[in-house]
Amino acid sequence: ESISKQATEIWISKIQVNKPAVLRRAEQIQARRPVKKEWQAAWLLKAVTCIDLTTLSGDDTASNIQRLCYKAKYPIREDLLKALNMHDKGITTAAVCVYPARVCDAVRALKAAGCDIPVASVATGFPAAQTHLKTRLEEIRLAVEDGATEIDVVINRTLVLTGQWKALYDEIRQFRKACGEAHLKTILATGELGSLTNVYKASMIAMMAGSDFIKTSTGKETVNATFPVAIVMLRAIRDFFWKTGNKVGFKPAGGIRSAKDSLVWLSLIKEELGDEWMKPELFRIGASTLLADIERQIYHHVTGRYAAYHDLPMS
Amino acid sequence: MRTGVIGLILSPTFPFLDMMWRICPALAVGCTVVVLVPPASPTPLLLAQLAGELGPFPGILNVISGPASLGPVLAAQPGVQKVAFCGAIEEGRALRRTLAGWVPELGLALGAESLLLLTEVADVDSAVEGIVDAAWSDRSPGGLRLLIQEAVWDETMRRLQERMGRLRCGHGLDGAVDMGARGAAARDLAQRYVSEAQSQGAQVFQAGSEPSDSPFFPPTLVSDLPPASPCTQAEVPWPLVVASPFRTAKEALAVANGTPRGGSASVWSERLGQALELAYGLQVGTVWINAHGLRDPAVPMGGCKESGSSWHGGQDGLYEYLRPSGTPAWIPYLSKTLNYDAFGLALPSTLPAGPETGPAPPYGLFVGGRFQAPGARSSRPIRDSQGSLQGYVAEGGAKDIRGAVEAAHQAAPGWMSQSPAARAALLWALAAALQRREPNLVSRLERHGVELKVAKAEVELSVKRLRAWGARVQAQGCALQVAELRGPVLRLREPLGVLAIVCPDEWPLLAFVSLLAPALAHGNTVVLVPSGACPIPALEVCQEMATLLPAGLVNVVTGDRDHLTRCLALHQDIQALWYFGSAQGSQFVEWASAGNLKPVWVNRGCPRAWDQEAEGAGPELGRRAARTKALWLPMGD
C-alpha cells in the first residue's frame, strides 16, 4: 500500500524511546515467566516449528545443505517425538535459510526428502548492503527464479543514519516489487542503527513499505538479537497493527543458542503481542545450533538423562 | 553520637524490606532496636531469633508481636529514646497526638501513595511499564496517582488497558506471577474506594474479574474522577491507579502539589529541560526521571507534608538515629494534666502600666516589611530588670499570625529563587547593620539586666553568626554514587517554606539571630516570636531589616507567647515549627503538629547554651532548616 509523505513524517517525527526504561523491562522479562515440566517440552516443540534453520558460511556446499534440509524435515529424533506423542503432528522447522547461490541445492534436497517447507534466501548484498541498488534488486530476482519462496533483505543503514526515511521507504518498496509473490523479510541490522529510536523508526518504515516480517539482525554484526531491541520492534509491530490492522511478523536472528533463550523469546512475544503471534506465520527464530540444544532438552525431558553430543543426529 | 534504644512500630502491611531499611542503620550506628510487629507476621520473629544467636550481644534486636495499641506502652518504657513509625497517615497522626510530651522523639514515615507525571514527549510504552512497576506489582508500596498530558491521553489509556490484560494475579511466591494478595483489609479498602469512585461518576476499568470471595483484587484503573470529589482527596489504595488529565506543565505541577501527601513521584519526559523543571517543582521527597520505584541504600528516601519527615537510606537516614554529641539523654516531661483545648486560648489581659505613657510610642508588629499596628489594637508593657517601664510592644493575636504567615508565603517564591550569593550578600549586609547598631543594642540588653561585658559579647557573637551563616550559604546538593544505576542521583537540599520560630527567653538577641540566620540562609521565610521578657533588641533588628530585606521575608510578632504558639502550631500552612519555651508549650506544640504533621523542634523546657558553638551554631541547625530531595537521573540512549 502507499503511504503519503506527510503521514510518514508525522508517524516518524513524534517517536520517543527511552533506553534505560527499555533495558529495565528487558531484564524483567527474562525472569518473570518461567515455564517448567511438560509445558516446557510443549513450548520447546513450538519453538522448533518456528525455527528458520540457517547456514550462511563461506564454506557451504551441496553436502552440508543436504544434511541441513534433512534435519529441517526431521528436527527431533523419531523416538523422542513418539514418547511425547507428537510424532504424527508434522513437526518440522519453519524454513531453511541459505545464501542465494545455494538456493538450487536446497530446493533439490528438500524435494528429495519429500518436504514442502519453504526455502528462504538472503539477498541485497547480505550482510552489509553496500552494493549498488541495481545488483541488489537483481539478486532478489535471481533467488526467486531459483525457487526461493521467502527473501530476507537487508536495509541500507546509510539511509537510516543520514535520516533519509523517504528514500529508505522507496528502496524497500522496490524490494517488495522484485519479490513478487515471495514472502519479504526486512532485516534492520539493529546493531548498526545507533539508537533505539532509530530502530523503531526503521521498523515502522519497513512495515509501511510492505514487509511481511521484520528481522532484528543479519547475525554477522557485533550485537545481534537482544531483548531491548526486540521490545522496541515488537512495540512498533503492535502500533502498526493498531493503526492499519495488518499483522507483521517478527524474526530475531543471531546469538540465540540455548533452549532457555528460545523460551524467553516465546514468552516475550506472548507478553507484548499476544497468542496470535506465536505461530510460524508470524514468528520465526533464525538459528542453527539452537536446534541441537532444544533436542537435548527434549531428550532430558523424555529420558531424565543428559545426552552426549553423539547421541543425537547432526544437522 | 548515637541515640540509644529505638522502638520501631510497623503497620500491618509493611514490607520486609522496609523493616530492614530501618533496623540496619539503627544497628549500624550502635543503637539497639525493639520492633513491634502485627501478630500476623512471623518473619521478624525469625529475624530476632537469628539476631539472638549472635554471640556476645544477644539483645540488640528484639521483636514483640502485638497490636498497634502497644505503641504508647513501648514509648513509655524508660530508655526508649526514639520511636519510628511507618504506616497509614491517620494512625501516624493519632500516634503523634498520643506521644506528645513523652520522652521518645517521634519519626513518622506515612502513606504509600506515589505520583506519576506523563508528558506528551515521553516514551509512552516505557511509562506504561513504569505504571505497572509503581502500582501493579508486589514491590509497589501503594496506589498511584497518574497525571497524563491531554495530548497523549487516548494513546496512554489504550496501552494501559492492553497491558493490564497481561498482568497475572496469583500466589505471591510464584515467580511467574505479577501480583499477589495483601490481606482482607487491603482488599476491602480498595473495594470501598472503587465503589465510592463509581458513585461519584468515575469510569473504572478492570482487566479481569475476580469472584467476590477471592482474596485477590484485580489491577484497576480509575479515570474521569472529578477533581473536587472526596475520592481525589483521599489516598489511593493499592492496587488502584487514578488517572487525571492536565494541559500544561504548569498545571501539572499545581495538580500534583495540590494534595497533602508528598512521598515520591516520577516524571516521564524525553526533554531534559522540562523533566528537570518538573522534578525541581514537585513537593515530594523522591523524584525519578523516566523511571519509577528505584531504591538504593545510599540514597535517602522520605517525604514532606503529610508523608512525615523521617528518612531512611543515605546520610539522612543515619541522622535519624543520631543526636549531637554532648546533649544529655531526654528526660520525661509529660504533663498529664495539660488541657490541649485550653492551652493558650485566652489572652491574659494586661493592665496599663500606670500614669506615665512610656518613653516612646509602642512598637508595632513587624509584618510584611514594615511595622504595623496589631489587630487587637493593644500593647503590652516591657519592664527592665529594675521593674521600671522600658517600652510597649504590640499584643499580637490570631489574626496577626495569619497575616504574618500570608506575608511570608508571598515572599517565599522570590526568596527561594534567589541565588546563594544574593542570600549571602543580604545576610552580610544585615550583619554590618547590626554592627552599626551595637551601642543601641548593648544599652537595651544592659537595661534588661545583662552585664556590660556579656552584652557586648552577645552583640558581637550575633554579628559573627550572621556572617558565618552567610558564608555557609551555597547551592546545597551533591551527586551520590549508586551501585546499579547508570547515571547520577542528586541529593538536593530545598527550603522548607515558611518556618515559624518561637525564640527562647535566655540570650534574647543571640538566640533570635542564631535561629534566624540558618533559616534565612537555607531559603526559608520566617515568622518569629521573640523572647517574652526582652523583645526589644529583636525589634531593633527589625528596624534594620525593614530597609535591607525584601518585604515579608522576616515577620516578627510579639504578644502572649502561649497564645501565639497555639496559633502557630495549629496553622495548617506552616511547614515547620521550632519552639524554645516551656515544657508545657513543647508538649502542646508536639500535640498540635499532628494537624498537618509539620516537623517540630522543641526544647522541652530545657535552656540551651546559645553562646556555645555546638548548640548555637552547630550543623544541627543547618540540617533542620532545609529538607532533602533525591533526584534520580538514569541515563542512556
Side-chain angles (χ1 to χ4, degrees):
Chain A
E1 57 200 2
S2 63
I3 312 278
S4 71
K5 185 162 195 242
Q6 284 111 324
T8 315
E9 278 165 9
I10 293 171
W11 282 19
I12 295 300
S13 58
K14 284 174 60 168
I15 290 164
Q16 311 274 3
V17 177
N18 184 274
K19 183 163 163 183
V22 171
L23 289 176
R24 249 175 276 126
R25 173 71 175 144
E27 267 180 51
Q28 253 184 24
I29 281 272
Q30 295 177 60
R32 279 283 178 91
R33 300 277 187 263
V35 187
K36 303 285 179 204
K37 298 189 196 156
E38 60 261 38
W39 296 281
Q40 190 186 72
W43 279 48
L44 287 174
L45 287 178
K46 165 72 80 185
V48 167
T49 60
C50 292
I51 292 181
D52 272 3
L53 205 52
T54 310
T55 175
L56 293 168
S57 322
D59 55 2
D60 283 340
T61 59
S63 60
N64 79 321
I65 299 279
Q66 191 192 41
R67 207 168 55 222
L68 190 84
C69 291
Y70 196 83
K71 186 77 180 172
K73 171 110 165 87
Y74 302 107
I76 308 281
R77 225 169 67 178
E78 209 41 43
D79 57 336
L80 296 173
L81 281 181
K82 257 208 197 86
L84 293 170
N85 203 13
M86 293 293 282
H87 51 281
D88 51 357
K89 300 286 192 297
I91 304 260
T92 63
T93 63
V96 170
C97 188
V98 292
Y99 269 119
R102 304 267 73 81
V103 172
C104 284
D105 296 330
V107 169
R108 207 178 321 129
L110 282 174
K111 206 145 84 185
C115 183
D116 61 354
I117 62 179
V119 173
S121 164
V122 297
T124 66
F126 185 95
Q130 295 282 4
T131 54
H132 292 277
L133 183 59
K134 209 160 107 176
T135 49
R136 286 189 268 147
L137 290 171
E138 192 57 26
E139 264 183 55
I140 300 180
R141 283 186 212 112
L142 290 172
V144 173
E145 260 176 43
D146 279 349
T149 47
E150 296 189 0
I151 307 288
D152 286 17
V153 303
V154 199
I155 62 168
N156 188 345
R157 274 79 94 194
T158 315
L159 295 176
V160 173
L161 294 170
T162 51
Q164 298 176 57
W165 302 108
K166 186 68 173 52
L168 180 65
Y169 173 79
D170 289 334
E171 250 189 41
I172 303 180
R173 290 280 319 144
Q174 293 190 303
F175 296 158
R176 171 83 264 174
K177 269 209 206 68
C179 282
E181 288 299 315
H183 179 105
L184 175 66
K185 289 203 198 82
T186 309
I187 304 178
L188 303 179
T190 54
E192 291 178 353
L193 290 183
S195 72
L196 290 177
T197 315
N198 275 351
V199 169
Y200 189 99
K201 292 181 183 179
S203 312
M204 265 301 174
I205 296 281
M207 290 190 282
M208 291 197 283
S211 316
D212 295 300
F213 261 68
I214 50 175
K215 181 170 159 183
T216 58
S217 43
T218 59
K220 311 285 184 201
E221 286 104 40
T222 44
V223 175
N224 289 302
T226 57
F227 294 115
V229 145
I231 289 173
V232 173
M233 287 173 71
L234 291 172
R235 285 177 180 169
I237 292 176
R238 184 200 53 204
D239 290 347
F240 187 73
F241 174 57
W242 281 354
K243 278 199 176 69
T244 64
N246 291 328
K247 290 187 186 167
V248 174
F250 175 70
K251 177 173 170 181
I256 306 177
R257 288 186 200 93
S258 72
K260 190 152 163 275
D261 274 345
S262 70
L263 292 174
V264 178
W265 282 104
L266 277 172
S267 64
L268 176 62
I269 302 291
K270 189 178 161 93
E271 282 279 306
E272 291 286 322
L273 292 173
D275 291 343
E276 311 94 65
W277 260 266
M278 283 171 80
K279 343 186 262 263
E281 288 83 9
L282 287 171
F283 177 61
R284 299 283 179 82
I285 303 179
S288 39
T289 47
L290 175 64
L291 187 52
D293 197 49
I294 292 185
E295 207 177 353
R296 296 175 72 196
Q297 288 298 116
I298 294 191
Y299 184 98
H300 177 247
H301 179 257
V302 169
T303 63
R305 301 191 302 271
Y306 288 104
Y309 173 68
H310 53 258
D311 277 328
L312 300 163
M314 224 172 121
S315 69
Chain B
M1 174 174 126
R2 58 171 184 71
T3 303
V5 177
I6 311 283
L8 183 58
I9 305 178
L10 298 169
S11 69
T13 53
F14 71 93
F16 186 75
L17 194 61
D18 263 0
M19 180 181 75
M20 293 309 287
W21 278 61
R22 289 179 168 78
I23 293 178
C24 296
L27 293 177
V29 296
C31 304
T32 53
V33 185
V34 177
V35 185
L36 175 66
V37 297
S41 358
T43 330
L45 291 166
L46 178 61
L47 186 69
Q49 185 178 13
L50 290 172
E53 291 164 12
L54 290 172
F57 300 103
I60 54 175
L61 173 61
N62 309 281
V63 175
I64 307 174
S65 219
S69 52
L70 286 180
V73 177
L74 174 60
Q77 300 304 311
V80 174
Q81 297 284 302
K82 181 167 177 120
V83 169
F85 174 79
C86 37
I89 296 183
E90 285 312 314
E91 283 170 32
R93 223 190 279 264
L95 193 65
R96 169 79 274 180
R97 291 210 174 99
T98 326
L99 292 186
W102 293 58
V103 171
E105 218 179 296
L106 183 62
L108 298 168
L110 308 172
E113 183 194 85
S114 52
L115 176 80
L116 196 142
L117 220 158
L118 221 179
T119 62
E120 62 183 351
V121 283
D123 176 1
V124 179
D125 282 305
S126 292
V128 166
E129 292 299 327
I131 296 171
V132 171
D133 272 340
W136 296 319
S137 80
D138 273 333
R139 277 173 46 227
S140 46
L144 183 72
R145 274 178 75 217
L146 179 57
L147 296 180
I148 307 175
Q149 196 150 16
E150 254 186 289
V152 288
W153 176 268
D154 293 323
E155 207 184 311
T156 314
M157 282 290 136
R158 182 174 190 182
R159 281 163 215 258
L160 253 185
Q161 289 170 356
E162 172 88 17
R163 182 74 177 89
M164 284 164 82
R166 307 233 191 276
L167 292 171
R168 302 174 66 186
C169 298
H171 188 239
L173 291 175
D174 182 350
V177 149
D178 291 309
M179 288 175 33
R182 283 198 194 172
R187 190 184 192 283
D188 290 335
L189 187 62
Q191 187 58 54
R192 246 179 293 140
Y193 190 95
V194 167
S195 323
E196 267 189 55
Q198 274 175 324
S199 69
Q200 285 160 20
Q203 300 285 327
V204 174
F205 177 85
Q206 287 179 339
S209 61
E210 305 279 345
S212 52
D213 56 347
S214 118
F216 300 105
F217 196 82
T220 311
L221 177 62
V222 177
S223 56
D224 294 336
L225 193 59
S229 71
C231 268
T232 356
Q233 311 296 320
E235 200 187 17
V236 179
W238 183 85
L240 266 55
V241 170
V242 176
S244 346
F246 66 88
R247 291 165 299 170
T248 60
K250 212 161 135 196
E251 191 181 11
L253 274 183
V255 174
N257 289 333
T259 58
R261 295 172 288 281
S264 55
S266 64
V267 173
W268 292 79
S269 162
E270 291 294 314
R271 254 192 248 144
L272 182 66
Q274 183 191 56
L276 285 177
E277 183 165 41
L278 288 170
Y280 273 69
L282 283 169
Q283 287 168 8
V284 290
T286 306
V287 181
W288 298 282
I289 296 191
N290 290 323
H292 199 108
L294 306 175
R295 297 177 78 164
D296 189 273
V299 177
M301 188 127 179
C304 63
K305 299 196 280 191
E306 284 191 8
S307 292
S309 57
S310 97
W311 291 80
H312 57 276
Q315 222 185 26
D316 302 80
L318 282 182
Y319 276 122
E320 290 283 312
Y321 304 110
L322 295 170
R323 57 166 196 272
S325 39
T327 50
W330 293 125
I331 46 168
Y333 73 104
L334 172 66
S335 157
K336 294 207 169 66
T337 57
L338 181 59
N339 183 352
Y340 294 117
D341 295 322
F343 178 86
L345 194 56
L347 271 169
S349 51
T350 44
L351 297 170
E356 51 170 325
T357 49
Y363 284 92
L365 305 169
F366 182 67
V367 169
R370 57 193 184 84
F371 283 92
Q372 300 176 8
R377 298 272 187 269
S378 67
S379 327
R380 50 171 43 208
I382 299 296
R383 302 194 173 279
D384 64 18
S385 50
Q386 271 88 40
S388 54
L389 187 63
Q390 214 186 19
Y392 282 93
V393 297
E395 186 76 51
K399 260 209 210 139
D400 306 303
I401 291 286
R402 197 183 73 194
V405 174
E406 264 177 44
H409 271 292
Q410 280 199 341
W415 185 237
M416 274 193 228
S417 56
Q418 289 270 3
S419 71
R423 280 189 237 148
L426 271 172
L427 284 172
W428 286 329
L430 189 57
L434 230 70
Q435 191 147 50
R436 281 194 300 270
R437 275 212 174 222
E438 191 200 340
N440 213 335
L441 290 169
V442 168
S443 76
R444 291 283 183 192
L445 286 171
E446 264 190 304
R447 284 195 64 181
H448 187 60
V450 178
E451 282 177 26
L452 177 61
K453 238 177 38 183
V454 178
K456 274 203 162 149
E458 189 170 343
V459 177
E460 241 180 74
L461 199 48
S462 307
V463 171
K464 217 171 91 178
R465 292 255 166 98
L466 275 172
R467 291 219 171 95
W469 280 108
R472 274 185 244 180
V473 172
Q474 13 168 316
Q476 297 171 57
C478 53
L480 303 169
Q481 282 290 78
V482 171
E484 280 157 17
L485 182 77
R486 282 196 70 217
V489 177
L490 299 177
R491 174 183 171 256
L492 306 170
R493 293 282 288 165
E494 299 191 331
L496 296 164
V498 172
L499 184 49
I501 308 179
V502 177
C503 301
D505 273 328
E506 70 265 16
W507 296 99
L509 176 64
L510 182 58
F512 177 82
V513 168
S514 301
L515 289 166
L516 178 64
L520 284 184
H522 290 259
N524 304 297
T525 49
V526 203
V527 175
L528 292 136
V529 175
S531 151
C534 182
I536 298 193
L539 292 167
E540 296 268 323
V541 177
C542 291
Q543 289 180 343
E544 293 299 329
M545 293 200 277
T547 45
L548 285 172
L549 300 182
L553 190 57
V554 178
N555 306 280
V556 175
V557 179
T558 48
D560 178 60
R561 281 162 68 77
D562 282 348
H563 179 67
L564 293 177
T565 303
R566 184 192 180 83
C567 300
L568 288 171
L570 290 174
H571 202 295
Q572 295 278 105
D573 210 5
I574 290 182
Q575 276 68 51
L577 175 54
W578 295 352
Y579 178 82
F580 297 92
S582 64
Q584 283 208 338
S586 303
Q587 185 175 341
F588 179 81
V589 160
E590 288 190 338
W591 178 86
S593 73
N596 70 339
L597 289 170
K598 51 168 106 42
V600 294
W601 183 21
V602 297
N603 69 346
R604 303 179 175 207
C606 309
R608 215 174 149 89
W610 292 98
D611 53 333
Q612 307 293 326
E613 270 307 298
E615 298 201 15
E620 187 183 10
L621 286 160
R623 262 201 315 276
R624 285 184 188 267
R627 66 179 157 87
T628 305
K629 177 191 275 183
L631 178 55
W632 293 69
L633 293 158
M635 74 183 194
D637 183 37

